[in-house]
């Protein structure tokens, strides 16, 4: 794919970091506001797609590496399953951090409140694991599809 | 912390963890991915056998995720089951045993069959995910969880069918057809789950089974679920995806796909027997399933006789054998409301149908692995081009003879035992059905005599001069399946009394299914 | 009658999805048909949870004494959307490989497996 015009590239330079930060915000606050692991991961992956469209697949190879994203995906998935295994004292998927006073262990206040991020137990950790997995998986998909556009274009001689 | 209490989830969680770790292991050392997969699936097989012994001696098990008990107590004092849980009774563990053996054999076979391909870490990871999906369909007690595992199995299966699509075009076409069929099936299942949730506000199988009635909305849900689950199992007239998918997938994946189709058949039996039971009009729904079975048997075998591709021929025979299972269990469903007929021949018909499931997995797996061995050495699946291979591949010939005799229903192999049960009991329901079943059996034998003559008999062809026997791991995989085939054929009484009869009674007695969950609250 | 409008939209979505799957010949249009079917079923699940005069089921900054819509169908729909993305990504990749091997996206010509 060829890179797009100067205007598009400038706006991408300015806005790329903000999209990624917003995506991580949606991932981490999943237990308080709408959002969570999958939604935040999809937002970050859309930043990757923006980079690929505006700069072209060949030029963004240095920033988006397939191997690194693949390892990150495996780390996210293993973290998810590992956390579910840790609750095996009672049963699988048990929320052993909730109401315990530890990491993420405060008790949730019943009723209307501005939201305490330290609550929720195991849920924010699983949100982060799923968010890492989704952003790297969708990133790898988008990179492969962009590189596959090269061979179909060669066929049509465009 | 007694680890044996957590066996139901460890059967699924250990392959899942291994599937997620495999890309990392594949980067370190490429050769250990296959051995790691075989090791993990052997652990699953051992745990499944332990769970079978526990369930057959103690009773059905319930495993709750995330809490100690499956119910939630509301402030008003009302308790209703709300957690996601696995509910394993004798029928579920029967199907789980089939899946565990078949996927273990498939992994052993893949060690040498897939050695020349690249990207093997993704292949083994997808194989483990497919196994996890099939186990989940068979063990779950929650309707939406069933939909999620159905989708996991379908997506992993599509990626594996198109695995050889890097250089060839046909596997990708087969993968596309299978993906369209499975996603339509899964979405319609989700629609039916939505109908149940909207009417009863419950997603749990057992809780739904205790309050379900047969009003207009329930008839719509049943009318959506029965054809769609039969479509995923490969029944005629929805069978178009089966020959393409089974023939273009690599041989060890085909046998796991057969297990996936049987899991969907299990889901059909769960919905009609344990969810609805006598509330539905058993005679009409039973006759619908019998008609589906008859069509599958007859059209499957007549399309099989004219095929030139060996794996397509075996795939059409698989459709035909699925018809036998639908026929046997359909007769059982048709007489469910009639206790005299049920005890006279209904239970025997269901025993025949369900015993046929495990027999079919074993001998169909053996036949597909034999076809894979022929493809591995000769490079072709076309029967016109093969010939005289019995001279060089002696073990493969013996395994093929065992598989072909079993599928045609010759004693002393296991096909004869289950087919005899089906013939005798279906004859007392309606003699015409039994006669059609026997005719189909004769045509099955005809199609396999044709394959044996084309591929194995005759003089040794010059172009196959350096064809030798297949590598040892493939031979060991085929030995396991043929030993089980011969053992089930010599001692069918042992298997029917200990494995099949508890499964049939678990399906018929709905109060035991609901009582396990609701009684414990 | 006005409360039944989302259900009528569900029927229209599913009907259009099945029409596209049956009668269109381009592979990409078949993928769009599957997406339409999936959107219809997701809309059906969400609409089941609606109760009259209720707000979104979030505790933070919510008015007191207010009824909320059911949150369970929302969790079901979220899972279904994620599965739909996996299906769409996989089936589009398969369509790209079919174009690479067959040179066409017309289902009348992608027919090497028959009989």
């Amino acid at each position: 794919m060829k890179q797009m015009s100067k205007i598009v590239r400038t706006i991408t330079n300015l806005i790329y970091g903000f999209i990624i930060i917003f995506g991580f915000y949606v991932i981490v606050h999943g237990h308080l506001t709408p959002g969570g692991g999958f939604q935040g991961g999809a937002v970050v992956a859309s930043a990757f797609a923006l980079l690929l469209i505006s700069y072209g697949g060949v030029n963004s190879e240095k920033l988006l590496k397939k191997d690194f994203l693949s390892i990150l995906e495996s780390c996210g998935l293993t973290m998810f399953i590992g956390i579910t295994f840790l609750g095996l004292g009672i049963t699988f998927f048990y929320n052993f951090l909730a109401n315990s006073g530890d990491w993420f262990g405060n008790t949730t206040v019943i009723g209307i409140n501005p939201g305490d991020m330290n609550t929720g137990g195991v849920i924010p950790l699983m949100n982060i694991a799923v968010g890492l997995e989704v952003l790297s998986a969708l990133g790898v998909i988008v990179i492969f599809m962009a590189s596959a556009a090269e061979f179909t274009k060669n066929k049509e001689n465009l | 912390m007694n680890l044996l209490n957590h066996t139901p989830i460890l059967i699924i969680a250990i392959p899942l963890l291994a599937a997620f770790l495999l890309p990392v292991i594949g980067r370190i050392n490429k050769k250990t991915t296959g051995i790691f997969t075989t090791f993990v699936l052997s652990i699953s097989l051992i745990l499944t056998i332990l769970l079978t012994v526990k369930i057959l001696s103690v009773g059905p098990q319930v495993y709750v995720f995330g809490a100690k008990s499956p119910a939630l107590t509301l402030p008003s004092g009302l308790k209703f089951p709300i957690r996601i849980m696995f509910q394993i009774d004798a029928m579920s563990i029967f199907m789980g045993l089939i899946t565990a053996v078949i996927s273990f054999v498939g992994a052993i076979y893949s060690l040498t069959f897939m050695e020349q391909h690249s990207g093997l870490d993704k292949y083994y990871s997808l194989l483990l995910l497919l196994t996890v999906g099939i186990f989940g369909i068979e063990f779950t007690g929650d309707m939406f969880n069933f939909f999620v595992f159905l989708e996991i199995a379908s997506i992993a299966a599509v990626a594996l069918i198109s695995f050889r699509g890097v250089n060839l075009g046909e596997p990708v076409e087969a993968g596309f057809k299978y993906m369209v069929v499975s996603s339509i099936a899964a979405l319609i299942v989700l629609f039916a789950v939505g109908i149940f949730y909207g009417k009863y506000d419950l997603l749990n199988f057992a809780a739904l089974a205790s309050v379900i009635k047969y009003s207009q909305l329930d008839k719509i849900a049943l009318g959506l679920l029965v054809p769609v689950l039969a479509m995923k199992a490969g029944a005629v007239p929805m069978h178009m995806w089966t020959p393409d998918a089974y023939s273009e997938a690599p041989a060890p994946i085909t046998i796991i796909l057969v297990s996936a189709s049987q899991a969907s058949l299990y889901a059909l039996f769960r919905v009609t027997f344990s969810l609805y039971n006598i509330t539905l009009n058993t005679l009409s729904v039973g006759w619908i399933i019998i008609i589906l079975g008859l069509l599958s048997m007859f059209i499957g075998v007549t399309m099989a006789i004219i095929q030139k591709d060996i794996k397509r021929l075996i795939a059409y025979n698989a459709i035909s054998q699925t018809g036998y299972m639908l026929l046997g269990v359909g007769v059982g469903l048709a007489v469910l409301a009639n206790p005299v007929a049920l005890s006279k021949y209904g239970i025997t018909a269901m025993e025949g149908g369900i015993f046929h499931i495990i027999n079919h997995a074993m001998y169909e797996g053996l036949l597909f692995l034999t076809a894979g061995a022929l493809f591995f050495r000769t490079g072709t699946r076309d029967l016109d081009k093969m010939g005289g291979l019995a001279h060089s591949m002696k073990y493969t010939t013996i395994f093929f003879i065992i598989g072909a005799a079993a599928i045609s229903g010759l004693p002393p192999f296991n096909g004869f035992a289950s087919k005899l049960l089906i013939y005798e009991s279906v004859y007392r329901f309606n003699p015409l059905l039994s006669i059609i079943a026997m005719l189909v059996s004769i045509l099955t034998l005809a199609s396999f005599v044709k394959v044996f003559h084309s591929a194995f008999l005759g003089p040794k062809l010059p172009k196959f001069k350096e064809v030798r026997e297949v590598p040892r791991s493939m031979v060991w995989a085929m030995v396991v399946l043929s030993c089980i085939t011969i053992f089930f054929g010599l001692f069918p009484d042992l298997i029917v009394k200990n494995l099949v009869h508890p499964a049939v009674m678990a399906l018929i007695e709905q109060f035991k299914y609901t009582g396990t969950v609701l009684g414990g609250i | 009658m006005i409360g039944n409008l989302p259900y009528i939209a569900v029927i229209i979505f599913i009907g259009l999805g099945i029409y596209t799957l049956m009668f269109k010949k381009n592979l990409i249009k078949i993928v769009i048909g599957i997406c339409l079917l999936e959107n219809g079923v997701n809309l059906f699940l969400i609409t089941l949870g609606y109760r009259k005069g209720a707000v979104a089921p979030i505790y933070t900054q919510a008015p007191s004494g207010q009824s909320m819509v059911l949150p369970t169908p929302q969790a079901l729909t979220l899972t279904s959307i994620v599965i739909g993305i996996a299906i769409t990504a996989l089936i589009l990749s398969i369509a790209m490989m079919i174009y690479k091997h067959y040179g066409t996206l017309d289902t009348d010509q992608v027919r090497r497996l028959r009989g």
Side-chain angles (χ1 to χ4, degrees):
Chain A
M1 290 197 275
K2 281 200 319 202
Q3 55 183 6
M4 298 189 95
S5 67
K6 187 90 179 149
I7 301 180
V8 178
R9 278 184 279 141
T10 315
I11 299 288
T12 309
N13 290 342
L14 289 174
I15 211 173
Y16 180 65
F18 287 116
I19 299 181
I20 294 188
I21 297 283
F22 180 69
F24 276 114
Y25 160 78
V26 168
I27 292 178
V28 174
H29 284 76
H31 54 295
L32 295 169
T33 53
F38 170 70
Q39 291 89 315
V43 170
V44 179
S46 70
F48 295 156
L50 173 66
L51 194 64
L52 274 174
I53 290 178
S54 54
Y55 275 92
V58 185
N59 294 341
S60 36
E61 244 179 54
K62 290 189 221 38
L63 269 170
L64 300 172
K65 304 192 204 32
K66 288 180 207 160
D67 297 332
F68 173 66
L69 285 177
S70 185
I71 300 277
L72 198 61
E73 173 184 4
S74 295
C75 289
L77 285 169
T78 347
M79 188 171 140
F80 184 79
I81 284 283
I83 294 180
T84 60
F85 260 106
L86 284 178
L88 211 55
I90 314 269
T91 179
F92 218 69
F93 274 99
Y94 187 67
N95 198 344
F96 61 97
L97 282 179
N99 305 330
S100 69
D102 257 350
W103 216 13
F104 284 115
N106 290 352
T107 329
T108 26
V109 180
I110 307 271
I112 326 292
N113 57 328
D116 185 6
M117 203 173 110
N118 231 354
T119 57
V122 154
I123 298 180
L125 292 171
M126 287 182 146
N127 269 335
I128 295 176
V130 170
L132 275 179
E133 197 265 318
V134 171
L135 75 90
S136 36
L138 285 178
V140 167
I141 289 177
V142 168
I143 294 175
F144 267 112
M145 283 194 173
S147 70
E150 302 292 328
F151 69 71
T152 47
K153 196 165 45 154
N154 288 339
K155 256 175 120 74
E156 289 165 356
N157 288 328
L158 280 173
Chain B
M1 176 177 71
N2 190 2
L3 223 68
L4 284 180
N5 284 344
H6 299 284
T7 326
I9 191 57
L10 283 178
I11 296 179
I12 295 192
I14 296 182
L16 198 59
L17 180 61
F20 295 156
L21 281 176
L22 264 174
V24 178
I25 294 181
R27 260 170 228 283
I28 302 176
N29 185 355
K30 272 201 185 316
K31 289 201 193 0
T32 55
T33 46
I35 303 177
F36 185 60
T37 311
T38 318
F39 173 63
V40 164
L41 284 174
S42 68
I43 295 182
S44 264
L45 178 61
I46 295 174
L47 286 177
T48 312
I49 296 179
L50 284 176
L51 190 61
T52 314
V53 168
K54 182 172 178 189
I55 286 186
L56 289 177
S57 53
V58 175
Q61 300 284 317
V62 171
Y63 189 85
V64 184
F65 285 113
K68 294 191 190 61
S69 97
L72 191 68
T73 317
L74 294 179
S76 61
L78 177 67
K79 288 187 175 191
F80 65 97
I82 197 176
R83 306 264 176 212
I84 298 180
M85 48 188 237
F86 277 1
Q87 184 170 8
I88 311 178
D89 60 356
M91 179 75 190
S92 318
I93 200 63
F94 177 76
M95 306 293 301
L97 206 55
I98 300 176
T99 310
V101 171
I102 291 284
S103 50
F104 178 60
V105 165
I108 294 183
Y109 194 86
S110 315
L111 282 176
T112 43
F113 187 77
M114 303 289 299
E115 228 174 3
Q116 305 303 324
H117 286 84
S118 64
L120 271 185
D121 53 347
K122 298 180 182 47
Y123 170 84
Y124 283 113
S125 177
L126 284 166
L127 195 148
L128 284 170
L129 275 178
L130 178 58
T131 312
V132 162
I134 302 177
F135 270 129
I137 295 178
E138 291 160 357
F139 285 168
T140 185
D142 186 87
M143 295 220 65
F144 189 71
N145 212 7
F146 164 65
F147 163 73
V148 171
F149 279 118
L150 183 68
E151 285 280 32
I152 292 179
S154 311
I155 295 178
V158 169
L160 281 172
I161 290 175
S162 335
F163 190 73
R164 294 186 304 134
V166 181
N167 302 319
L168 298 169
E170 288 89 3
V172 199
E173 178 190 340
F176 190 86
K177 286 187 198 172
Y178 186 61
M179 181 91 247
V180 171
V181 165
S182 352
S183 66
I184 296 177
L187 288 171
I188 296 185
V189 164
L190 184 59
F191 193 77
V193 169
I195 292 181
F196 282 134
Y197 182 74
K199 184 156 191 267
Y200 297 107
D201 220 2
L202 289 168
L203 280 176
N204 198 341
F205 257 115
L208 204 52
S210 59
V211 295
I212 203 165
K213 302 193 187 13
Y214 201 51
S215 65
Q216 189 72 19
L217 273 178
D218 298 304
K219 282 184 200 166
I220 293 178
L222 184 70
L224 284 175
L225 275 177
V226 167
V228 154
L229 288 172
M231 172 160 86
K232 276 289 289 181
V236 172
M238 293 90 64
H239 68 287
M240 309 293 181
W241 58 272
T242 316
D244 301 335
Y246 284 1
S247 66
E248 295 296 338
I253 296 303
T254 315
I255 62 179
I256 309 184
L257 279 180
V258 166
S259 183
S261 307
Q262 288 175 344
S264 161
L265 203 63
Y266 156 81
L268 175 65
F269 298 157
R270 261 295 173 232
V271 165
T272 47
F273 278 92
S274 296
L275 195 58
Y276 281 90
N277 211 270
I278 358 184
T279 54
L280 52 79
N281 188 353
T282 52
L283 202 58
S284 33
V285 179
W287 265 106
I288 291 177
I289 296 187
I290 293 175
I291 300 279
L292 282 176
L294 277 182
L295 280 175
S296 308
M297 283 195 304
F298 196 66
I299 294 186
V301 82
T302 47
M303 290 290 293
I305 296 187
I306 61 175
Q307 293 296 323
K308 289 193 182 46
D309 182 337
I310 184 174
K311 280 184 83 171
R312 249 178 120 85
L313 190 147
I314 305 178
Y316 270 113
N317 275 307
I319 298 178
S320 156
Q321 300 297 307
T322 311
Y324 273 96
M325 302 170 213
L326 284 170
L327 178 68
V329 180
V331 166
L333 182 62
V335 295
L336 194 62
N338 184 354
V340 173
L342 188 66
S343 61
K344 245 184 7 176
Y345 55 84
I347 294 188
T348 320
M350 284 184 65
E351 275 174 9
I354 291 183
F355 191 31
H356 204 73
I357 296 182
I358 192 169
N359 291 342
H360 174 246
M362 297 304 147
Y363 55 63
E364 199 78 23
L366 186 59
L367 284 169
F368 274 121
L369 293 184
T370 329
L374 289 176
F375 176 65
F376 185 67
R377 281 302 183 204
T378 62
T380 174
R381 289 199 314 258
D382 195 347
L383 281 174
D384 289 337
K385 299 199 180 75
M386 290 196 253
L389 286 167
H391 296 278
S392 15
M393 303 171 82
K394 297 187 175 46
Y395 289 133
T396 312
T397 317
I398 297 178
F399 293 137
F400 184 82
I401 294 178
I402 294 178
I407 197 174
S408 321
L410 301 175
F413 300 111
N414 53 5
F416 171 70
S418 53
K419 281 191 183 180
L420 189 66
L421 283 172
I422 294 180
Y423 294 155
E424 281 191 353
S425 42
V426 171
Y427 187 82
R428 288 194 234 173
F429 179 71
N430 190 343
L432 186 62
L433 306 174
S434 190
I435 295 176
I436 295 181
M438 288 193 223
L439 181 67
V440 163
S441 192
I442 300 175
L443 290 174
T444 313
L445 182 63
S447 68
F448 276 99
V449 165
K450 165 184 133 142
V451 173
F452 187 61
H453 176 80
S454 302
F456 291 102
L457 295 182
K460 198 164 169 176
L461 289 180
K463 63 182 166 178
F464 293 144
K465 207 166 30 172
E466 59 273 345
V467 162
R468 298 172 290 120
E469 188 53 70
V470 285
R472 213 170 306 158
S473 84
M474 294 161 74
V475 173
W476 278 113
M478 292 195 271
V479 161
V480 169
L481 287 181
S482 44
C483 283
I484 297 182
T485 307
I486 298 178
F487 178 69
F488 279 16
L490 289 177
F491 306 106
D493 202 28
L494 209 68
I495 309 293
V496 169
K497 207 165 50 154
N498 291 330
L499 272 182
V500 179
H501 191 76
V504 169
M505 297 322 278
L507 273 185
I508 292 182
E509 292 163 349
Q510 188 199 27
F511 58 87
K512 254 200 234 166
Y513 191 74
T514 57
T516 320
V517 171
L518 299 178
I521 299 179
Chain C
M1 183 57 206
I2 195 88
N4 283 339
L5 217 47
Y7 292 108
I8 298 180
V10 168
I11 299 292
I12 293 178
F13 264 113
I14 295 183
L16 281 177
I18 295 184
Y19 166 77
T20 320
L21 278 172
M22 285 206 294
F23 289 108
K24 294 295 180 187
K25 297 238 177 285
N26 196 339
L27 282 183
I28 306 287
K29 291 188 183 172
I30 293 181
V31 177
I32 294 180
I34 294 181
C35 281
L36 276 176
L37 194 58
E38 171 207 328
N39 287 337
V41 176
N42 288 341
L43 182 62
F44 178 65
L45 281 179
I46 287 277
T47 321
L48 285 176
Y50 183 68
R51 299 288 177 258
K52 213 170 177 142
V55 292
I58 306 173
Y59 259 140
T60 312
Q61 313 283 356
S64 64
Q66 171 77 271
S67 62
M68 293 180 166
V69 297
L70 293 180
T72 318
Q74 308 201 350
L76 306 181
T77 308
L78 215 68
T79 312
S80 173
I81 291 179
V82 175
I83 293 177
I85 284 196
I87 290 180
T88 310
L90 186 59
I91 203 171
L92 280 176
S93 312
I94 288 183
M96 281 201 276
M97 295 298 285
I98 287 184
Y99 184 70
K100 174 180 167 192
H101 288 298
Y102 288 77
T104 173
L105 277 177
D106 192 353
T107 50
D108 281 338
Q109 274 138 30
V110 180
R111 283 201 68 204
R112 278 189 215 159
L113 295 168
R114 55 176 96 192

